[in-house]
């Protein structure tokens, strides 16, 4: 158990380089999140449903900041900056992303609805028929 804590919380792990495929994949995911945040922002402007617009309000900024924070954490890991390079911080970042996605999914399922237009049919025969009381 102690080895696991040392593995996760060691302040300056080495062995990562920018040419490593793991680093390139994670940096690519972070770059994708940043670009995806602008796509979400553009998509929100085209929405007509105010409920959907309100529920997706934080998606753009969350994707942007998760991308920025992830890129900073990976750069800290590669550049061997102490305490920002801990594996536990990367695990915490990933768990925060999963928690945010799960919470947003639950909120969207609970609170999303569409407003249906109510139409009233006016029938000329109604004024001649008896009304029920």
């Amino acid at each position: 158990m102690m080895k696991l804590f040392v593995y996760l919380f060691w302040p300056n792990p080495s062995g990562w380089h920018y040419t490593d495929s793991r680093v390139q994949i994670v940096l690519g995911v972070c770059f994708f999140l940043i670009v995806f945040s602008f796509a979400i922002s553009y998509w929100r402007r085209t929405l007509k449903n105010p409920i959907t617009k309100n529920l997706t309000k934080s998606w753009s900024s969350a994707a942007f900041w998760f991308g920025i924070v992830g890129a900073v954490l990976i750069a800290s890991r590669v550049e061997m900056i102490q305490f920002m390079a801990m594996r536990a911080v990367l695990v915490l970042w990933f768990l925060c992303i999963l928690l945010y996605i799960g919470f947003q999914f639950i909120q969207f399922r609970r609170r999303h609805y569409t407003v249906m237009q109510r139409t009233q049919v006016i029938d000329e025969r109604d004024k001649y028929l008896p009304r029920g009381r």
Side-chain angles (χ1 to χ4, degrees):
M1 189 67 163
M2 189 64 174
K3 285 186 176 187
L4 177 67
F5 285 125
V6 169
Y7 178 77
L8 287 176
F9 293 103
W10 189 256
N12 198 3
S14 61
W16 279 34
H17 304 284
Y18 287 115
T19 58
D20 190 8
S21 62
R22 294 177 296 180
V23 172
Q24 291 176 352
I25 289 171
V26 176
L27 282 175
V29 168
C30 293
F31 180 71
F32 171 76
L33 283 173
I34 293 169
V35 171
F36 189 59
S37 72
F38 294 112
I40 291 172
S41 178
Y42 176 75
W43 171 70
R44 277 193 75 243
R45 279 187 246 135
T46 63
L47 288 176
K48 302 291 185 223
N49 189 348
I51 304 303
T52 308
K53 208 174 214 181
N54 190 24
L55 288 173
T56 60
K57 188 186 316 183
S58 68
W59 291 6
S60 176
S61 63
F64 181 78
W65 283 109
F66 276 126
I68 293 291
V69 168
V72 167
L73 289 176
I74 294 300
S76 299
R77 180 77 188 260
V78 172
E79 299 295 331
M80 292 187 283
I81 299 172
Q82 286 189 344
F83 299 109
M84 289 291 289
M86 288 190 301
R87 291 174 183 99
V89 177
L90 288 171
V91 170
L92 182 65
W93 172 75
F94 186 68
L95 289 176
C96 286
I97 289 175
L98 291 180
L99 185 67
Y100 178 79
I101 290 171
F103 179 74
Q104 288 296 320
F105 179 75
I106 291 169
Q107 287 295 327
F108 199 81
R109 293 279 312 252
R110 260 187 51 223
R111 298 178 61 199
H112 189 265
Y113 62 90
T114 44
V115 177
M116 303 294 284
Q117 292 292 334
R118 181 180 280 181
T119 58
Q120 186 175 9
V121 177
I122 300 174
D123 193 5
E124 290 295 321
R125 296 175 290 178
D126 286 343
K127 57 183 167 182
Y128 298 111
L129 294 174
R131 295 186 186 174
R133 293 186 186 199

